Amino acid sequence: MNDLLKPKLSRRRILQAAAVGAVGLDPALRAAVWAQGSDKPEKEEVKIGFIPLTDCASVVMASVLGIDKKYGVKIVPSKEASWAGVRDKLVNGELDMAHVLYGLVYGVHLGISGPKKDMAVLMTLNNNGQAITLSKKLADKGAVDGASLAKLIATDKREYTFAQTFPTGTHAMWLYYWLASAGIDPFKDVKNIVVPPPQMVANMRVGNMDGYCVGEPWGQRAIMDGIGITAVTTQDIWKDHPEKVLGTTSDFVKKYPNTARAVTAAILEAGKWIDTGLQNKNKMAETIADKSYVNTSVDAINQRILGRYTNGLGKNWDDPNHMKFYNDGAVSFPYLSDGMWFLTQHKRWGLLKEHPDYLKVATEINRIDIYKQAAAATKTSVPKDAMRTSKLIDGAVWDGKNPKQYADSFKLHV
């Protein structure tokens, strides 16, 4: 850790840090508190928006467990109704930061999903843990996966409606990618609508859509309510894919760099706490199930967070690639290639008319400098390379090296 990051702690501050440690945190994480001098957070109360989803957990737990206090900030979680609302409140400053869709941040930065504003990604909040749900009515007609859905659409002609949560967001991209991998054109063969995550189950119940892609617990909830089946998990589309991020504006980071670093560190530590073991995951599920957060039953959250899956058709399995919040920093590092992938899909589906400078945009948005400082404070290992290689469900390999060629390589595109 360099001199800039070495805190100068009074006896009182050390005692405060010890008190925070008493909530049961890993002693190795009792890193020093930024509290005074040049490292003091410029803004001590930080309002962070979140949508009622399991993957808001590290933001919520950083606040509930008091981990934020270790870093001299107070996180105030703010429950929001829709991703469009989160976008607007980030842009106009009503929210300081947000638990937010990766692709939403990129869309705002480029002005392709509403107002244009320079944005920043401070860290990735989670990998995996989303799902594509098909209605029980489709399943009863034999549509239980991509191939059988394609066959039904080809033979039983009508308008099929699928929902995602935001035009440039992760769920839209997982849904489009999966449909296209089965030979279904997501814009010609089916109709797409946008529905806020907590409203997905209710809309499927009344027949407003045939399928949807959303984060947990709303995939599991559809199965528990007997109205849908899991056709595919997003980790089967892309193992350890990036999902939500801690997003803010570029202006906020410029004005409050110490605050950005402190909040990132607190949420990093909360993510490690969640991933530590069964007891912590169960405590997290009990906490966020409350009506002030996700507002659902604990059993809708705690099964899939442990990798215990059922598809609603009698199949049960243990998935090692369930939702993760830390994974020794592999989850939380803001890989440039992750951000670039969303840009390739925005170009593929016509949201971007021309190829952007993929690497330049990702470097502007993903604040690896801030992340590395927070990682040093929490003793989180940092990957050697800002790019990573992944193989997706259709066999395509993404490594970030030639994004233009990759974006143009798909048979199905706009």
Side-chain angles (χ1 to χ4, degrees):
M1 195 182 298
N2 62 33
D3 290 339
L4 179 66
L5 294 178
K6 288 178 182 173
K8 302 178 181 68
L9 290 183
S10 65
R11 183 173 177 276
R12 177 170 167 268
R13 287 297 182 187
I14 291 170
L15 289 172
Q16 285 178 340
V20 172
V23 301
L25 300 174
D26 182 342
L29 279 181
R30 289 173 196 159
V33 185
W34 288 302
Q36 53 194 22
S38 61
D39 292 335
K40 180 179 172 65
E42 307 88 350
K43 184 178 173 69
E44 294 181 9
E45 187 169 294
V46 183
K47 189 176 181 181
I48 304 184
F50 72 92
I51 292 288
L53 291 160
T54 301
D55 50 32
C56 75
S58 55
V59 172
V60 171
M61 297 312 293
S63 171
V64 169
L65 295 173
I67 300 171
D68 52 355
K69 294 174 187 172
K70 278 180 58 175
Y71 298 95
V73 291
K74 180 184 178 184
I75 290 172
V76 180
S78 176
K79 187 173 180 176
E80 304 298 330
S82 70
W83 291 121
V86 169
R87 172 201 62 198
D88 294 345
K89 289 182 179 183
L90 274 176
V91 168
N92 69 25
E94 286 182 63
L95 292 172
D96 296 315
M97 300 179 182
H99 148 259
V100 66
L101 298 163
Y102 212 134
L104 183 153
V105 175
Y106 272 65
V108 171
H109 190 86
L110 294 173
I112 59 170
S113 59
K116 187 178 189 302
K117 180 87 173 176
D118 287 350
M119 300 297 288
V121 165
L122 300 176
M123 64 180 285
T124 304
L125 293 176
N126 68 294
N127 287 168
N128 308 326
Q130 323 294 294
I132 294 176
T133 298
L134 298 181
S135 72
K136 209 66 184 291
K137 291 177 182 177
L138 282 192
D140 289 344
K141 290 186 175 183
V144 296
D145 56 19
S148 53
L149 176 64
K151 184 177 179 181
L152 182 66
I153 289 173
T155 56
D156 187 1
K157 299 288 186 181
R158 65 172 176 84
E159 184 176 72
Y160 290 82
T161 301
F162 284 80
Q164 35 86 1
T165 64
F166 191 81
T168 62
T170 53
H171 304 116
M173 298 307 117
W174 310 140
L175 178 62
Y176 300 166
Y177 203 99
W178 178 72
L179 289 170
S181 73
I184 302 166
D185 189 310
F187 293 95
K188 292 178 182 175
D189 297 335
V190 300
K191 178 185 175 184
N192 269 284
I193 60 173
V194 174
V195 175
Q199 296 175 25
M200 286 291 191
V201 175
N203 272 275
M204 179 168 279
R205 185 177 289 112
V206 298
N208 286 346
M209 81 269 279
D210 296 288
Y212 61 73
C213 184
V214 75
E216 294 301 338
W218 308 121
Q220 174 71 1
R221 185 81 254 174
I223 291 170
M224 291 171 67
D225 292 357
I227 62 167
I229 62 108
T230 295
V232 68
T233 66
T234 52
Q235 53 264 34
D236 285 334
I237 297 172
W238 174 357
K239 179 187 169 185
D240 293 336
H241 67 78
E243 185 48 46
K244 307 302 186 302
V245 294
L246 181 62
T248 185
T249 63
S250 179
D251 287 343
F252 185 93
V253 181
K254 285 176 189 171
K255 191 173 182 181
Y256 308 114
N258 293 348
T259 304
R261 179 187 60 195
V263 172
T264 304
I267 295 173
L268 255 177
E269 191 166 320
K272 181 170 187 179
W273 179 88
I274 293 167
D275 277 5
T276 296
L278 177 66
Q279 185 177 355
N280 289 2
K281 287 178 181 176
N282 279 328
K283 182 175 179 181
M284 176 273 280
E286 289 168 10
T287 302
I288 69 167
D290 187 78
K291 65 181 179 181
S292 55
Y293 301 116
V294 180
N295 191 24
T296 192
S297 57
V298 176
D299 58 348
I301 296 173
N302 66 6
Q303 294 305 297
R304 289 192 171 187
I305 202 69
L306 299 171
R308 296 170 186 162
Y309 276 76
T310 179
N311 70 347
L313 294 166
K315 179 187 174 186
N316 302 289
W317 73 100
D318 288 326
D319 191 339
N321 305 313
H322 54 78
M323 187 183 293
K324 291 176 181 147
F325 293 87
Y326 187 74
N327 197 15
D328 195 30
V331 168
S332 38
F333 184 77
Y335 291 95
L336 298 179
S337 54
D338 286 359
M340 292 163 66
W341 184 86
F342 288 102
L343 294 177
T344 68
Q345 300 307 297
H346 294 164
K347 176 63 175 68
R348 177 186 183 183
W349 302 120
L351 294 160
L352 284 169
K353 303 306 177 191
E354 305 293 336
H355 287 286
D357 186 332
Y358 292 92
L359 183 58
K360 178 175 181 288
V361 172
T363 304
E364 287 170 355
I365 297 174
N366 289 28
R367 293 300 302 268
I368 291 175
D369 55 334
I370 297 286
Y371 179 84
K372 283 183 174 179
Q373 293 171 6
T378 55
K379 296 181 172 60
T380 297
S381 60
V382 175
K384 292 177 182 177
D385 197 338
M387 301 285 190
R388 61 175 178 149
T389 301
S390 304
K391 187 175 183 179
L392 278 74
I393 193 170
D394 56 357
V397 174
W398 167 245
D399 58 14
K401 290 177 181 173
N402 196 335
K404 186 176 183 293
Q405 183 184 55
Y406 178 85
D408 288 341
S409 69
F410 295 97
K411 181 181 175 183
L412 275 178
H413 60 83
V414 167

